[in-house]
Amino acid sequence: MSDIKPPIKRDFYAIITNASGDRVLLIEDEDSNLWVLPHWEALKAIHPSVFNSWVIQTLRERYSLETIVIKDYYFQRIFENNEFRATHRVLILQLRGGSTNLGWHGMSEITPQKFANPLHAELIQRWLLENSTGQIPLGRMPWARLGWFEKAEKWVTDFVKAQNWQITAPIEQRKSDVISAQLKVSTSAGNLYLKAVPPYFKDEPVFGQLLEKLLPGEVPQILEVEASKGWILMTDFKGQAVAEFSDFSVWEAAVREYANLQITCIPYVEELLQAGARDRRLKILGGQIEKVLGRDDLWLVGETRGLSQEELDQLHAAIPHLQALCLELAAFGLPETIDSGDFHAHNVAVTAKGFVFYDWSDLSVTHPFLSLNPFRESGEDAKAGPDYWEKLTRAYLEPWQKFLPQAELERALQLADLIGCASQILNYAWIHDNIESEDYQAIDGGFIYFARKLLDSLKNL
């Protein structure tokens, strides 16, 4: 008998709505005469950075439809014998154009008996009811609401016209999830990008402008902001992500330059905090860790992919130890400074002028060495070799040698890498508490991953 397991089955279904949100497109199955949603299957996991483009292109090729993604509406992981085997994912999209022979149908026509999968009828009814009553769940992202794309499109178009530039292609939706949305704007002056952030990241446009002033050329150039809406219009820095380089010296250079960036920002800590950076300095981080790790609602205890009760007990018991480690790390006396919170090889670009560091939504002021934790994940994902972590740490610590001897820096980094797991959990908790409950599945794996990594790291400390 073969031990080779079949690949994960990833089924996608599309609820395609009109601009008013009162009708959806359906297909009548020829064999059963029942309705089905436009659907397709993915043969492998799709990276979040290209997910929207992939969905839009798939519907264009399969159904001749031009759409934009409104939101992930339903997600189910399917297990067999406690093993993850499949996903069932339903997306809401808005029709933007294209020819179709699919039929439009409204609320009065939607009943479970008419559908090959009755669950899809229930999801459509819920969507139509939300729009007809205006009872949108709390925490829904602005771009997951009908009409947002058109408003953003007009704002960008007005800006481009005011510069006497021309838009040379339809505005392209690149991303829309619970963290941000991104539009690509092709113009006669080059590509522009609109990044939109949710209310819980409302300060990013403000500290984005501050970072550009403090770190010219090392962060994206901002052309315009609409702070009340969380909109940031940036130029294209025409770079290639560090993650795409097989030459690991590029990775080393990136972390070395990031350390220099952090050192540059040391004198501006108070200004960064006033601009909206989260305060995670070690003197208060221990209390924040206690508050979040002491919760019982984040860990999916009893579910297949969640923590066991034993693991949760271990996590709660680790809180005093983590607080003691924060004090030990603080005793090294390294100055606290900027932390991206999401510093990894996909968020650093190599350009003709050097490195550009982007995506500062999770910006905080804390111990600098906590930053390296997510970059470590990038190396593991890229299978960068057994000695990649030693290479990265040597490169990263080099600029810090003006503060402490190498042996002390290495010990501080060891502590910070562990505490960094807890800091990542804080990031996920912040998002969890500011989104609608239906979207928890988009981030709940992060809690479990970093909780287990934290427990493993404590055993090896």
Side-chain angles (χ1 to χ4, degrees), residues 321-336:
H321 191 184
L322 288 167
Q323 292 174 318
L325 293 179
C326 287
L327 296 177
E328 183 180 348
L329 182 58
F332 284 98
L334 283 166
E336 293 176 299

Side-chain angles (χ1 to χ4, degrees), residues 308-376:
S308 66
Q309 185 60 52
E310 181 182 4
E311 288 173 317
L312 181 58
D313 293 341
Q314 292 172 354
L315 193 65
H316 289 171
I319 292 172
H321 191 184
L322 288 167
Q323 292 174 318
L325 293 179
C326 287
L327 296 177
E328 183 180 348
L329 182 58
F332 284 98
L334 283 166
E336 293 176 299
T337 183
I338 194 170
D339 170 26
S340 158
D342 200 19
F343 172 54
H344 57 71
H346 288 281
N347 277 347
V348 187
V350 182
T351 74
K353 296 181 180 180
F355 292 104
V356 174
F357 302 87
Y358 53 98
D359 196 352
W360 293 89
S361 296
D362 289 308
L363 181 111
S364 67
V365 170
T366 187
H367 192 284
F369 291 4
L370 270 62
S371 277
L372 212 55
N373 184 286
F375 207 96
R376 182 172 188 165

Side-chain angles (χ1 to χ4, degrees), residues 378-403:
S378 299
E380 292 175 357
D381 291 343
K383 299 179 174 58
D387 61 344
Y388 85 93
W389 182 235
E390 289 76 11
K391 290 180 179 179
L392 281 182
T393 55
R394 278 199 304 270
Y396 176 74
L397 292 178
E398 184 180 316
W400 295 101
Q401 290 174 357
K402 66 181 73 175
F403 295 92

Side-chain angles (χ1 to χ4, degrees), residues 274-306:
Q274 291 174 12
R278 274 171 266 176
D279 190 348
R280 290 199 182 151
R281 289 175 288 186
L282 290 173
K283 65 182 181 182
I284 62 173
L285 183 59
Q288 295 171 336
I289 289 173
E290 180 179 15
K291 183 176 180 180
V292 172
L293 267 61
R295 291 169 60 172
D296 293 327
D297 62 320
L298 303 175
W299 316 107
L300 306 178
V301 175
E303 297 189 26
T304 304
R305 67 190 190 280

Side-chain angles (χ1 to χ4, degrees), residues 278 280 341-342 362 422-432:
R278 274 171 266 176
R280 290 199 182 151
D342 200 19
D362 289 308
S423 182
Q424 289 298 310
I425 292 172
L426 297 188
N427 289 342
Y428 280 103
W430 175 255
I431 297 169
H432 173 279

Side-chain angles (χ1 to χ4, degrees), residues 47-190:
H47 194 277
S49 63
V50 297
F51 180 78
N52 274 39
S53 299
W54 173 76
V55 169
I56 291 168
Q57 182 63 24
T58 299
L59 284 164
R60 181 180 295 136
E61 292 174 354
R62 290 178 64 90
Y63 296 100
S64 300
L65 300 174
E66 294 298 327
T67 59
I68 56 172
V69 178
I70 300 297
K71 77 180 308 297
D72 255 331
Y73 205 59
Y74 176 85
F75 185 89
Q76 179 188 18
R77 295 179 178 92
I78 299 170
F79 293 81
E80 295 178 3
N81 299 320
N82 290 326
E83 290 191 2
F84 174 43
R85 299 306 317 141
T87 61
H88 181 152
R89 194 166 179 177
V90 181
L91 309 172
I92 301 286
L93 297 102
Q94 181 182 334
L95 185 68
R96 296 281 292 171
S99 59
T100 178
N101 57 4
L102 281 67
W104 286 108
H105 301 275
M107 178 70 87
S108 62
E109 304 171 78
I110 308 300
T111 60
Q113 295 79 10
K114 295 181 180 180
F115 281 77
N117 187 333
L119 169 65
H120 293 165
E122 295 172 12
L123 294 173
I124 293 170
Q125 288 173 330
R126 190 177 82 193
W127 166 255
L128 296 175
L129 186 63
E130 287 174 359
N131 291 293
S132 65
T133 63
Q135 295 179 355
I136 309 297
L138 291 175
R140 180 158 297 178
M141 297 301 103
W143 46 87
R145 299 167 184 259
L146 295 173
W148 180 92
F149 183 92
E150 290 77 8
K151 293 175 183 176
E153 187 177 46
K154 182 179 185 305
W155 183 73
V156 171
T157 301
D158 289 346
F159 175 86
V160 170
K161 287 181 179 178
Q163 315 311 309
N164 292 317
W165 303 336
Q166 291 79 43
I167 292 178
T168 57
I171 292 177
E172 178 185 346
Q173 184 193 48
R174 298 292 295 273
K175 180 184 178 185
S176 60
D177 57 27
V178 298
I179 297 174
S180 65
Q182 185 189 92
L183 306 180
K184 178 183 177 182
V185 188
S186 301
T187 80
S188 55

Side-chain angles (χ1 to χ4, degrees), residues 258-282:
Y258 181 79
N260 286 321
L261 174 156
Q262 290 181 299
I263 292 169
T264 298
C265 288
I266 289 171
Y268 304 102
V269 161
E270 290 300 328
E271 194 171 354
L272 287 162
L273 289 169
Q274 291 174 12
R278 274 171 266 176
D279 190 348
R280 290 199 182 151
R281 289 175 288 186
L282 290 173

